[in-house]
Amino acid sequence: MHNLSKWLLGFVDLWHSVKGRNLHWNRDNQAELAQLRQERILAEKALEAELKKHSVQLEHEINLLKTRHDAELSMYKTRCKQDIKDYQHYLDSLDQLKKSIQSSYTHLPESVALTIHHHAKHLLHNMWEAEDYEQKIRYEMQLIQFMTAVHEDARLHLEDANTGNLPESTLKLIRKN
């Protein structure tokens, strides 16, 4: 028992010694600790100010991006509306072409006029859907060549200069494609 109390007193002395050293260390370094606390507070405030500044900058950049996006979207919508209007004009023109063929070649079966009309629409769709600009131009040139052949055949037929009863140039282009 005596050993236990001796050991316990030794432990208490060690505990007081460690606490005392800690207290002395804190007292000796109190100015440095206060300075470190002050520097930490200042660093936190500087970091907070920097974060607010970055937050304001990011908000400004986001607003600029939104404005630019809205403007681009508006322009894209306008372009799409114009494209739809242009496409509708093309389709109307092709319908007039079909009527012109039917009135010029009254003896022509309706299925032939519809085939010519369908081929022109097919060229128009290919031109419209082409992703590559060069491919788009090739389809556009084919459509122009085809439309020109149809009008030339109709004009020749009306002038009675065309010896055949069919729009030969037009049908030749359909066979070629």
Side-chain angles (χ1 to χ4, degrees):
M1 181 89 159
H2 180 64
N3 284 340
L4 182 61
S5 65
K6 192 176 178 183
W7 180 84
L8 196 52
L9 283 175
F11 179 74
V12 169
D13 284 342
L14 177 65
W15 176 261
H16 285 297
S17 170
V18 169
K19 283 192 79 116
R21 276 191 243 147
N22 188 26
L23 186 61
H24 288 304
W25 185 89
N26 280 335
R27 186 189 66 208
D28 293 343
N29 295 309
Q30 186 174 8
E32 291 172 2
L33 288 172
Q35 183 180 354
L36 285 174
R37 277 189 220 112
Q38 186 64 26
E39 287 174 0
R40 187 182 78 211
I41 290 170
L42 291 174
E44 287 174 354
K45 286 183 180 181
L47 181 60
E48 186 179 323
E50 189 68 25
L51 287 174
K52 283 182 182 178
K53 179 181 165 187
H54 281 355
S55 176
V56 168
Q57 286 175 340
L58 286 174
E59 188 175 334
H60 177 69
E61 289 176 16
I62 288 171
N63 286 335
L64 285 176
L65 287 173
K66 282 181 181 178
T67 302
R68 186 172 7 157
H69 175 264
D70 290 345
E72 287 174 359
L73 181 62
S74 176
M75 287 178 4
Y76 183 73
K77 284 181 179 179
T78 302
R79 236 183 287 131
C80 286
K81 286 178 184 176
Q82 186 59 46
D83 283 350
I84 290 170
K85 191 184 283 186
D86 291 346
Y87 192 75
Q88 187 60 48
H89 286 301
Y90 269 113
L91 290 176
D92 292 344
S93 174
L94 292 180
D95 285 341
Q96 288 175 350
L97 172 75
K98 180 176 70 173
K99 290 175 186 172
S100 172
I101 292 168
Q102 289 172 329
S103 66
S104 297
Y105 296 93
T106 53
H107 63 283
L108 197 64
E110 186 176 352
S111 61
V112 175
L114 289 174
T115 299
I116 293 169
H117 179 257
H118 176 74
H119 185 72
K121 277 179 55 176
H122 178 72
L123 289 172
L124 174 64
H125 291 306
N126 287 344
M127 177 188 84
W128 213 262
E129 297 294 325
E131 295 289 327
D132 180 28
Y133 181 73
E134 291 177 12
Q135 185 69 26
K136 188 178 279 279
I137 295 299
R138 279 194 289 274
Y139 282 126
E140 187 173 22
M141 292 309 296
Q142 285 179 354
L143 180 62
I144 290 170
Q145 183 182 17
F146 185 75
M147 298 285 281
T148 303
V150 170
H151 284 293
E152 186 63 22
D153 280 346
R155 186 185 63 77
L156 289 174
H157 184 73
L158 288 176
E159 292 176 357
D160 220 14
N162 190 355
T163 56
N165 290 333
L166 297 174
E168 294 296 330
S169 300
T170 303
L171 296 175
K172 188 187 297 183
L173 282 176
I174 291 175
R175 279 191 292 270
K176 180 180 166 186
N177 291 329

